[in-house]
Amino acid sequence: MFGYLIKRLIQMIVVLWVVSVLVFVMMSFTGDPTYMMVPLDATEEQIAQARRLLGLDESHLVQYWRFLLNVLQGDFGRSFVFRQPALQLILERLPATLEIVFLAMVIALVVAIPLGVYAGANPGRPLSRAVMAGSLVGISLPGFWVGMVLIFVFAVRFQFFPSSGRGPTTELFGLRVSFTSWEGFRHLILPAITLSIGTLAILMRIIRAEMMEVMKQDYIKFARAKGAAQKGVLFKHGLKNALIPLVTVFGLMLGDLIAFATLTETIFAWPGIGKLLVDSIYRGDRPVIVVYLMFVAFMFVVVNFVVDVLYALIDPRIKIK
Amino acid sequence: MSEAARMSVAQPAPLLSVRNLRTWFHTFGGVVKAVDGVSFDVAPGEILGLVGESGGGKSMVGFSIMGLIDPPGRIEAGEIVFEGEDLARLDEARMRRVRGKRVAMIFQDPMTALNPLYTIGNQLEEMLKLHTDLPSARRRERAIEMLREVGIPQPESRLDNYPHQFSGGMRQRVVIAISMIARPRLLIADEPTTALDVTIQAQLLRLMKHQVTQNAASLILITHDLAAVSQMADRIVVLYCGRIVEKGRAADVIERPRHHYTRGLLDSIPHHDKAQARLRQIPGSVPDIRKLPPGCAFAPRCPAAQDICRRVEPELVETATGQAAACHFPIEATR
């Protein structure tokens, strides 16, 4: 277990380093962000001064070196726009994104597990066919379109839910969250549903495919021969054996949603990290983009680690090493 | 005392009475009559051997009794009377209380019959949880006791092991323990030793027999291994293409087979005391069960087949000793 942790740690450092290099190389092709910071009527002198202040007057190699040295001291750079540490900007907005992503994942699991298990255990039944057709629709629909339709129906027509923005927030363990009040929770619902659609559809298909495979196994028949009820056979003996691929995909999708909830956050004017990324790209706020992408890489490494641990918890034949 | 009265005294009311069972599969390629008009009894405490080649419908008899025939298969007709109750007509909820508690089943491959994600203790106790209201501590005790009975060393510590930590033979012992832990009246063992090493087959058969007799339960041993059956069974039923071709007391069927198929099966068993250049085999192979020939299904492979065999299906005819064969030209006892 200790060796495994060391291995994972080294892997994380390598991944973060590679990502930082890639991002810096890409950034060097996107032109000089100084022009986006200075007023339109700025003189050449003022522009040069701004460039020096932002540290953009030196070669990319030197810039990268300086960035690396700072990172080793725990300083990930400051936003050009907000003049705040870039990491702090991301962490401030992270709770907003985590809120809608977690709610979306809960919705996806609560809907996908029973339907997927049913469709996998009873292929060919009308409801199973309906579930499969529905999941295909869910995969095909683009998220931004679903979001707009939801806004039109539930916010504009029926006015059940607010159309955009985040509700009132309260402090919980030092994080600003909004799900604690009903008004805040109401704001969460539409963006969360929008985010959940694609994940839900894919999870459902995976669970169905796995369950179809598992239900053919002898131990399922043996469980039925023991006199176990259908529910016990499906969930205790069946679903647990179908969990490994599910956990893998679930982890990847969780990371993906946290990192790139951008479209949904834009449509719902949700002040999360996805919106921060779009705004930063738009403003040429290079330090924020770099730290953002490194944060995403970090998160995926963590997700993979958690998935590995879950494997070992689910299946006693898998050992962490 | 009349002949009939003497018979009824000699044979107590059967524990299980299968009457004219038909289990058919409706597939795209036609109707597969996996079990087609099979009748037999199992007396309390009796060991019945159900014998035949692969594809003969033996396993489907077992699964029909358990009510575990999956679509497109279905019990088309017949009765499965167990302790006075027709299992073929029970609904799923009541059938569930029969499975495991009153009739248990052992599968062919112990490597796949146990759920890989649960400890064997958990899987043993599941049976008790389903069918008894023993408290948790008692369940554990009973599981340990059961593992000890089937010959698992250090059962206390093995209880928390997972199936992959056991060898094939040990796993089949665990499967037997699970099947017997709720003390069923009838155990159906479907090729229980086929997947195992020859060296432990006999051990496990002995263990199963011991378990069954100790609990005064009955056993249906489904196998293609006539040699194993001859040592274990009280009576034998021979199936061919979903139909019974011969049945009778084990000694009679083994020593004086009347059906040419049974004879063929017996001839293909190697004998260590007979120097044989080459084992005899039954010529040909089992026909496609969807397109059975008219008349006797065994006729194309039968050495004694005549014209009538290819036209008229023979009835099961019983002799005075209770041995029955479905053959127009049964082998007459010569010894």
Side-chain angles (χ1 to χ4, degrees):
Chain A
M1 186 68 194
F2 184 70
Y4 170 82
L5 283 176
I6 297 286
K7 219 157 73 180
R8 279 278 149 169
L9 203 64
I10 294 171
Q11 181 195 357
M12 180 184 301
I13 291 167
V14 171
V15 168
L16 288 181
W17 176 72
V18 170
V19 167
S20 76
V21 171
L22 285 177
V23 175
F24 254 82
V25 170
M26 280 192 301
M27 284 295 157
S28 64
F29 295 127
T30 56
D32 189 345
T34 321
Y35 293 103
M36 310 194 77
M37 309 291 156
V38 295
L40 278 176
D41 55 354
T43 63
E44 276 302 315
E45 203 166 307
Q46 285 171 316
I47 293 173
Q49 192 188 0
R51 191 174 287 138
R52 200 162 48 248
L53 274 173
L54 297 176
L56 295 170
D57 52 340
E58 287 166 286
S59 75
H60 291 296
L61 218 57
V62 175
Q63 281 183 42
Y64 182 68
W65 180 244
R66 203 153 4 95
F67 168 79
L68 267 192
L69 288 183
N70 286 338
V71 164
L72 290 181
Q73 288 159 20
D75 176 4
F76 287 85
R78 281 171 173 267
S79 158
F80 294 160
V81 179
F82 298 96
R83 309 305 298 159
Q84 271 183 25
L87 190 61
Q88 187 192 330
L89 273 177
I90 290 170
L91 293 181
E92 268 174 12
R93 281 164 178 73
L94 190 59
T97 297
L98 290 183
E99 265 183 345
I100 50 170
V101 169
F102 281 135
L103 186 56
M105 280 313 210
V106 169
I107 294 172
L109 284 182
V110 166
V111 178
I113 288 180
L115 289 183
V117 166
Y118 178 85
N122 311 286
R125 293 252 188 104
L127 180 60
S128 306
R129 287 168 202 263
V131 164
M132 291 315 287
S135 77
L136 211 57
V137 174
I139 289 174
S140 317
L141 292 181
F144 68 89
W145 185 83
V146 172
M148 292 192 307
V149 168
L150 287 178
I151 289 176
F152 178 73
V153 175
F154 294 102
V156 179
R157 262 293 159 81
F158 297 111
Q159 313 206 331
F160 288 153
F161 303 112
S163 65
S164 68
R166 201 178 183 207
T169 58
T170 48
E171 188 123 337
L172 191 72
F173 306 119
L175 302 172
R176 300 213 67 83
V177 295
S178 68
F179 67 86
T180 43
S181 66
W182 171 236
E183 188 51 32
F185 189 72
R186 265 165 43 97
H187 281 80
L188 279 173
I189 292 173
L190 288 188
I193 290 177
T194 307
L195 271 184
S196 72
I197 297 286
T199 312
L200 192 163
I202 290 176
L203 287 182
M204 206 151 70
R205 293 188 87 88
I206 289 172
I207 297 170
R208 170 184 172 269
E210 284 305 313
M211 282 300 285
M212 283 178 72
E213 199 47 50
V214 168
M215 292 310 280
K216 286 184 214 145
Q217 302 299 315
D218 269 5
Y219 53 77
I220 294 294
K221 202 144 205 181
F222 191 53
R224 289 172 66 198
K226 283 162 100 173
Q230 182 72 351
K231 210 176 82 191
V233 172
L234 286 183
F235 288 93
K236 187 186 168 194
H237 292 280
L239 183 61
K240 196 171 180 191
N241 276 286
L243 273 186
I244 293 275
L246 180 68
V247 165
T248 316
V249 175
F250 183 82
L252 291 177
M253 300 204 92
L254 178 69
D256 198 52
L257 284 194
I258 295 175
F260 306 110
T262 320
L263 272 176
T264 307
E265 290 187 358
T266 308
I267 291 168
F268 288 94
W270 191 260
I273 54 172
K275 194 153 182 316
L276 175 71
L277 176 68
V278 175
D279 293 346
S280 301
I281 291 173
Y282 192 64
R283 298 178 188 130
D285 200 345
R286 214 183 256 184
V288 177
I289 301 173
V290 172
V291 177
Y292 185 88
L293 294 177
M294 286 181 68
F295 168 75
V296 168
F298 166 76
M299 196 179 59
F300 271 102
V301 174
V302 170
V303 163
N304 267 322
F305 167 73
V306 173
V307 166
D308 272 3
V309 172
L310 283 179
Y311 280 176
L313 285 181
I314 293 168
D315 193 334
R317 288 166 299 183
I318 297 176
K319 291 268 176 291
I320 287 185
K321 49 177 180 290
Chain B
M1 207 189 286
S2 74
E3 180 76 9
R6 201 171 52 82
M7 288 297 282
S8 71
V9 170
Q11 288 181 346
L15 177 75
L16 174 79
S17 177
V18 175
R19 281 290 161 270
N20 204 23
L21 177 68
R22 292 178 203 276
T23 303
W24 293 1
F25 288 74
H26 300 268
T27 65
F28 290 119
V31 178
V32 176
K33 298 176 177 176
V35 181
D36 195 24
V38 165
S39 304
F40 62 88
D41 290 347
V42 181
E46 186 179 49
I47 294 179
L48 178 82
L50 210 55
V51 185
E53 277 167 288
S54 314
K58 301 164 292 176
S59 298
M60 287 308 141
V61 172
F63 284 125
S64 299
I65 297 169
M66 294 298 285
L68 287 177
I69 299 290
D70 286 323
R74 201 171 64 180
I75 296 179
E76 294 284 327
E79 290 174 3
I80 303 169
V81 181
F82 177 74
E83 295 185 321
E85 201 174 11
D86 186 0
L87 300 185
R89 269 160 200 69
L90 281 193
D91 59 35
E92 177 62 20
R94 289 174 55 205
M95 196 61 218
R96 227 183 279 139
R97 287 196 288 275
V98 174
R99 286 183 207 130
K101 174 135 186 73
R102 292 163 64 199
V103 187
M105 189 159 178
I106 293 175
F107 292 169
Q108 176 167 355
D109 190 354
M111 307 308 270
T112 56
L114 294 169
N115 192 323
L117 304 189
Y118 293 98
T119 62
I120 59 149
N122 186 313
Q123 301 189 51
L124 274 161
E125 287 182 41
E126 183 187 19
M127 196 71 131
L128 294 175
K129 248 185 243 174
L130 286 167
H131 299 298
T132 67
D133 32 50
L134 290 180
S136 154
R138 268 298 292 146
R139 283 202 301 265
R140 196 179 161 83
E141 274 171 41
R142 179 89 182 94
I144 292 171
E145 201 179 288
M146 201 63 215
L147 281 184
R148 187 173 293 123
E149 273 185 39
V150 297
I152 305 261
Q154 290 144 10
E156 291 87 352
S157 55
R158 295 297 263 166
L159 215 50
D160 298 318
N161 284 166
Y162 289 91
H164 70 273
Q165 293 162 306
F166 290 83
S167 67
M170 282 295 164
R171 279 193 223 188
Q172 196 65 308
R173 284 173 193 268
V174 172
V175 171
I176 293 172
I178 292 176
S179 312
M180 295 305 295
I181 197 167
R183 299 201 172 94
R185 308 301 310 139
L186 173 66
L187 179 66
I188 302 171
D190 185 5
E191 303 268 9
T193 56
T194 309
L196 299 173
D197 264 9
V198 184
T199 47
I200 45 182
Q201 285 185 358
Q203 276 178 28
L204 277 165
L205 287 175
R206 254 200 313 278
L207 169 69
M208 221 158 24
K209 183 170 184 171
H210 177 73
Q211 276 293 318
V212 168
T213 27
Q214 197 183 14
N215 285 290
S218 305
L219 171 69
I220 299 181
L221 181 64
I222 301 173
T223 182
H224 64 266
D225 185 356
L226 253 180
V229 160
S230 63
Q231 295 160 21
M232 294 264 299
D234 301 311
R235 287 191 311 123
I236 290 178
V237 169
V238 184
L239 282 179
Y240 187 73
C241 291
R243 293 178 198 150
I244 292 180
V245 293
E246 177 153 17
K247 62 181 177 181
R249 287 204 308 261
D252 292 343
V253 173
I254 299 290
E255 281 157 31
R256 289 177 295 279
R258 289 177 52 81
H259 198 282
H260 298 276
Y261 177 60
T262 317
R263 175 64 165 281
L265 285 180
L266 285 165
D267 282 347
S268 54
I269 302 173
H271 288 275
H272 59 83
D273 51 347
K274 265 191 235 157
Q276 251 174 326
R278 194 187 158 94
L279 270 181
R280 238 181 295 169
Q281 60 181 38
I282 304 176
S285 57
V286 182
D288 183 347
I289 200 160
R290 286 168 303 189
K291 297 187 216 73
L292 284 185
C296 174
F298 187 62
R301 305 171 71 185
C302 182
Q306 310 269 332
D307 270 354
I308 185 176
C309 301
R310 288 181 264 275
R311 287 199 320 272
V312 183
E313 196 185 325
E315 299 281 317
L316 202 58
V317 181
E318 199 166 322
T319 64
T321 55
Q323 189 175 359
C327 184
H328 293 298
F329 306 102
I331 306 164
E332 296 304 332
T334 50
R335 280 169 285 183

